[in-house]
Amino acid sequence: MKLFFKTSIFFIIGMLLAPDAVYKGILPNTQISASTDNEVKQAEEHYISKYQFEKGYEEVVEFIKDHEGFAGGKAYYDAAGVKTIGYGHRIKSGEVFPEKISQREAENLLRKDFDKAVWYAERETDVEGYKKIVVAHFIYAKGIGNFMKSNFRKKVLSGEPVDEELKKWCYYRSPSGEMVRSEYIYKIRLWEIEMYN
């Protein structure tokens, strides 16, 4: 019983630090028993981000909630035609959601996605505070692949001004494949610039 309890505690801590890898069974040879699955669900109900006390973290979470919207908890297609749910969670292949999720579930998804972006920002840069959170927001919005090949990343790493580079990232590809400038996204980039500086 003691061994099971200790194992369960370590599993839950690991799930909180790397939720996608553990919950989706991405870790090699990971088996989730029925009792452990219940513990994971309970831990997710009381999700606590390891990054929540970072400077700017909560501001960005609230900003994302405001500009993404909730859509009544139902799945929808974003401007680029990607199936999405909650506060902008892009539904990946193999992910299954009920017809409708609660605001709490949507916020948990958002925080997990944003935590992953903060982790990438820590791994790929040495900036701190608001700068790190802005890099994470960019990664959350545009993806780690786009960040890695961007001039924005080069400017961050060299300590140069990032304003003009961020302003270039206000386009999205429409379902027809056309690149479209979004004034709405441009305003988001301006918000990032203000926070970064």
Side-chain angles (χ1 to χ4, degrees):
M1 186 66 177
K2 283 183 181 179
L3 178 61
F4 176 78
F5 180 74
K6 285 181 183 176
T7 305
S8 300
I9 293 299
F10 287 124
F11 183 85
I12 290 170
I13 290 168
M15 188 278 305
L16 290 171
L17 295 177
D20 285 354
V22 175
Y23 187 69
K24 294 187 174 117
I26 294 171
L27 295 178
N29 303 319
T30 300
Q31 298 286 328
I32 299 178
S33 69
S35 61
T36 306
D37 191 40
N38 287 335
E39 290 170 3
V40 170
K41 286 177 183 173
Q42 287 174 358
E44 285 191 333
E45 285 175 14
H46 304 288
Y47 176 72
I48 298 172
S49 164
K50 70 177 264 190
Y51 296 112
Q52 76 180 77
F53 299 113
E54 293 270 346
K55 187 184 291 185
Y57 181 95
E58 292 299 331
E59 291 170 61
V60 172
V61 167
E62 289 307 312
F63 181 77
I64 293 170
K65 286 167 68 176
D66 286 344
H67 78 75
E68 287 290 346
F70 178 59
K74 295 182 178 179
Y76 61 95
Y77 289 91
D78 68 11
V82 177
K83 195 169 185 183
T84 307
I85 196 165
Y87 300 111
H89 174 79
R90 291 180 162 203
I91 300 173
K92 299 168 193 72
S93 176
E95 282 188 313
V96 179
F97 292 96
E99 185 178 333
K100 186 176 178 181
I101 64 173
S102 70
Q103 286 183 300
R104 183 172 185 167
E105 290 167 326
E107 184 166 331
N108 284 351
L109 269 177
L110 163 59
R111 288 176 181 273
K112 288 176 191 177
D113 289 345
F114 191 60
D115 279 4
K116 192 182 297 182
V118 178
W119 181 81
Y120 277 127
E122 282 186 344
R123 188 185 77 175
E124 300 300 334
T125 73
D126 59 0
V127 291
E128 292 294 330
Y130 285 113
K131 285 180 169 59
K132 177 170 72 175
I133 294 300
V134 168
V135 169
H137 183 263
F138 181 91
I139 292 169
Y140 173 84
K142 297 296 182 182
I144 185 63
N146 281 324
F147 175 72
M148 292 300 290
K149 62 186 180 185
S150 71
N151 285 328
F152 169 55
R153 176 178 177 263
K154 291 175 186 171
K155 299 284 185 186
V156 169
L157 293 176
S158 66
E160 297 176 60
V162 300
D163 303 26
E164 295 309 311
E165 288 305 321
L166 277 175
K167 287 177 186 175
K168 295 175 183 176
W169 288 88
C170 61
Y171 293 85
Y172 66 92
R173 191 173 300 282
S174 71
S176 65
E178 180 186 3
M179 292 304 290
V180 180
R181 175 176 163 144
S182 167
E183 294 306 314
Y184 182 69
I185 296 173
Y186 183 72
K187 288 177 183 173
I188 292 172
R189 300 286 86 86
L190 293 179
W191 176 84
E192 288 175 337
I193 290 165
E194 184 178 346
M195 182 177 270
Y196 190 89
N197 293 324

